[in-house]
Amino acid sequence: MKQLEGSEPIYVQLAVWLENEILAGRVKPEEKIYSQYRLSEIFGINPATALKGLNILVDKEIVYKKRGLGMFVSIDALKILQKEHKNEVITEQIRDLAAEAKLLEVSEEELIRMLKKEMRKTEASELEKSAPMNGQRPVQSQVQNKTKKGENHQ
Amino acid sequence: MIRCESLTKFFNGTRALEECSFEISGPSITGVIGVNGAGKTTLFKSLAGFLKPSGGNAYVFDQPAFQNIIAAQNVILVDESMEFYPGATLKELIDSYSRFYRNFDVKLAMGLLKYFNLQQNAKYKTLSKGVRATFRLILGLSARAPITLLDEPADGMDPGVRTDLYQLILKDYVKAPRIILISSHYLGEMEPILEDILFIHEGKVLKHDGLEVFESLLIALQGPPDIIELVEKRLKVYEGKNFGEGLRRIVVDKEAYELLDLSEKLRSRLTLQGISPEGSFTHLTRREGGGINELYDS
């Protein structure tokens, strides 16, 4: 029996688990998703709770019902999930950033200026990536080098 | 289906149930929760037709349950007070139950005896407390009665076995969906298998709703004391604690907080955390006024 994690309601935790299964490609668009009874078995939860979890995905149009056949992953599932995760991650980071700026007494104008500067830097490095022969090393590969070094240490 | 209409029961002038009303019309596993003396056992005994109501009534398939043959055939009550013929072996008890309950699954009962390492020729009275409870549950599930009432089925068992038993109840329910009511002091461990919760408090139904409703009943708010106090002035607070100078945490009703007239700006400075059904249940049943600390500080 698998264990769900977190302090969220069980059906919400289940919905998150299902979304991760789809994002990881373990269930692909147009494939049948786990039935409420299969989920009940996997997690040892009431089938009604499992259905509530699945219905969160139906409401978001990540999963759709085929009459008499069960539920299937929609063709746009990945697009919807990526968009949602993107919004969540960025909103969360901006919230932290705003709190930190306040703590350090950085004004709103100053913060926006800093943000714009960073955006331009990112754009520049994107350009470099597309033309890597041109001078500096792209940011991406520096990160990769770091991980490699770390691995050698172990 | 079962229904209670203003069900009231007094024992020698002491109230056990008072105006208790609810209805369950289709298959579900419902957790019956409440502190000791809330009326859970009286409710189960009334539904099983063992007790004559002092007022109102309990119905099983639209028949008043008390001493009614329809109720008796369709309801099984599993609790500590189940009485068995003293000299009977487990196999004999299974046989006698199978003659009374027409959906009784003898094969399942024998399979479960084997799974739990119970000897079919052992005598019930020689078993330990926990093993007796296991056997009663085996009888109760194998009876496959349309209305299965399990009063503290995991009482006296080891923690590992308890989880196993709840999973057994769930599996049997999926195989043969029916109305199952389970009471327990420990909501947490039976939570995964529940669909609904019937919350009994002081002889009344305080709330009867889906598990997910109980999962977002109360929330903890944490933040700067000045903002917390704004909330505190206007809502019922179930618990309040200070963490040093700049942080206060309170527990309030989630819906009431959402409806509260409070600016987004102030809201954004508070962190919210859900309270588990078990936690909410503890807060809601705590005695009014101060609690244990007040008693010692005064």
Side-chain angles (χ1 to χ4, degrees):
Chain A
M1 200 173 76
K2 257 184 155 60
Q3 211 72 36
L4 286 164
E5 275 169 27
S7 60
E8 294 282 327
I10 297 171
Y11 74 108
V12 176
Q13 293 175 40
L14 182 68
V16 171
W17 182 84
L18 285 166
E19 289 183 2
N20 286 332
E21 288 291 292
I22 296 169
L23 273 173
R26 282 190 280 272
V27 199
K28 296 184 176 61
E30 294 298 316
E31 276 180 12
K32 195 169 190 282
I33 198 156
Y34 309 92
S35 73
Q36 70 178 113
Y37 289 100
R38 184 75 190 102
L39 290 168
S40 159
E41 228 176 82
I42 297 174
F43 294 103
I45 57 175
N46 192 293
T49 305
L51 184 61
K52 277 171 198 147
L54 281 165
N55 277 334
I56 292 183
L57 273 67
V58 173
D59 290 343
K60 290 186 186 170
E61 296 179 356
I62 294 164
V63 157
Y64 66 98
K65 289 177 198 167
K66 270 192 200 172
R67 202 173 289 275
L69 293 174
M71 294 192 190
F72 291 76
V73 178
S74 71
I75 201 99
D76 295 327
L78 286 171
K79 224 187 284 171
I80 299 168
L81 281 170
Q82 278 156 1
K83 193 178 160 202
E84 184 188 298
H85 280 231
K86 199 159 61 185
N87 284 344
E88 265 173 27
V89 168
I90 291 195
T91 315
E92 201 176 301
Q93 291 188 354
I94 287 183
R95 197 181 296 133
D96 291 348
L97 183 67
E100 190 70 21
K102 190 146 195 185
L103 210 66
L104 298 171
E105 294 178 354
V106 177
S107 75
E108 205 174 301
E109 294 75 33
E110 204 178 337
L111 186 64
I112 291 169
R113 218 179 309 127
M114 287 161 85
L115 194 62
K116 277 185 178 159
K117 200 173 141 193
E118 279 308 312
M119 296 283 287
R120 275 195 297 274
K121 262 199 214 163
T122 317
E123 271 167 35
S125 71
E126 288 288 323
L127 278 174
E128 274 164 22
K129 234 194 286 176
S130 53
M133 306 298 282
N134 198 1
Q136 267 186 323
R137 220 184 251 181
V139 177
Q140 195 88 36
S141 66
Q142 279 172 5
V143 173
Q144 279 167 1
N145 281 347
K146 260 187 205 157
T147 9
K148 266 183 198 151
K149 261 185 214 158
E151 278 165 6
N152 287 342
H153 272 292
Q154 281 172 348
Chain B
M1 59 96 94
I2 53 176
R3 191 171 81 245
C4 285
E5 279 175 11
S6 303
L7 180 64
T8 303
K9 180 69 189 175
F10 282 88
F11 293 106
N12 301 322
T14 306
R15 179 215 61 219
L17 287 175
E18 191 173 13
E19 302 270 322
C20 175
S21 300
F22 72 96
E23 182 178 344
I24 298 175
S25 51
S28 79
I29 305 183
T30 301
V32 180
I33 58 164
V35 295
N36 275 325
K40 293 171 296 196
T41 299
T42 309
L43 174 65
F44 279 11
K45 290 200 152 128
S46 304
L47 284 166
F50 297 164
L51 295 174
K52 188 171 193 268
S54 312
N57 221 331
Y59 300 89
V60 170
F61 292 109
D62 289 323
Q63 306 263 344
F66 182 59
Q67 289 186 346
N68 183 307
I69 184 72
I70 307 270
Q73 285 174 335
N74 287 290
V75 180
I76 187 158
L77 169 60
V78 175
D79 69 358
E80 249 183 352
S81 71
M82 274 175 116
E83 277 173 23
F84 302 113
Y85 180 68
T89 64
L90 302 187
K91 174 76 170 65
E92 283 163 352
L93 291 172
I94 286 171
D95 287 340
S96 91
Y97 266 69
S98 73
R99 282 193 291 275
F100 186 73
Y101 289 100
R102 64 198 137 158
N103 299 332
F104 198 101
D105 189 333
V106 177
K107 212 175 132 208
L108 173 70
M110 299 313 279
L112 289 171
L113 277 191
K114 208 169 162 196
Y115 175 78
F116 286 104
N117 270 323
L118 294 177
Q119 301 297 324
Q120 34 172 299
N121 49 9
K123 289 187 174 147
Y124 179 77
K125 62 171 185 182
T126 64
L127 306 176
S128 72
K129 192 181 173 199
V131 180
R132 280 186 190 187
T134 307
F135 176 70
R136 291 195 301 264
L137 185 67
I138 291 173
L139 272 187
L141 290 178
S142 306
R144 293 274 168 90
I147 293 143
T148 302
L149 310 173
L150 311 173
D151 194 5
E152 299 279 352
D155 210 22
M157 292 180 194
D158 299 325
V161 185
R162 300 170 76 97
T163 318
D164 232 27
L165 281 186
Y166 286 120
Q167 286 305 313
L168 165 65
I169 296 168
L170 177 65
K171 275 201 193 310
D172 199 64
Y173 167 76
V174 170
K175 188 92 186 173
R178 55 204 194 269
I179 294 178
I180 298 183
L181 265 62
I182 318 173
S183 75
S184 174
H185 287 80
Y186 308 99
L187 174 58
E189 61 184 25
M190 66 171 176
E191 219 181 286
I193 72 161
L194 301 181
E195 176 172 351
D196 294 318
I197 290 179
L198 182 69
F199 182 6
I200 310 271
H201 191 52
E202 294 176 347
K204 287 189 177 64
V205 175
L206 204 63
K207 201 169 181 63
H208 179 206
D209 224 321
L211 172 71
E212 77 284 359
V213 174
F214 286 82
E215 283 176 310
S216 54
L217 215 51
L218 300 183
I219 43 161
L221 299 174
Q222 198 168 297
D226 51 329
I227 302 177
I228 292 285
E229 271 160 29
L230 279 178
V231 180
E232 228 167 328
K233 265 185 218 153
R234 285 180 285 172
L235 293 184
K236 180 173 166 55
V237 175
Y238 292 94
E239 190 183 64
K241 257 186 209 154
N242 285 326
F243 296 96
E245 282 291 292
L247 204 58
R248 184 164 168 77
R249 179 183 184 271
I250 54 169
V251 173
V252 293
D253 188 279
K254 183 167 184 256
E255 208 183 326
Y257 173 70
E258 277 163 4
L259 294 172
L260 187 70
D261 179 30
L262 189 74
S263 72
E264 272 310 310
K265 203 176 162 196
L266 291 178
R267 277 177 199 272
S268 70
R269 297 189 53 199
L270 301 177
T271 48
L272 274 63
Q273 198 192 1
I275 301 278
S276 71
E278 176 119 58
S280 297
F281 163 64
T282 312
H283 286 300
L284 290 167
T285 52
R286 188 172 293 152
R287 280 167 196 279
E288 290 290 326
I292 205 84
N293 286 332
E294 207 154 276
L295 187 72
Y296 279 89
D297 292 342
S298 63

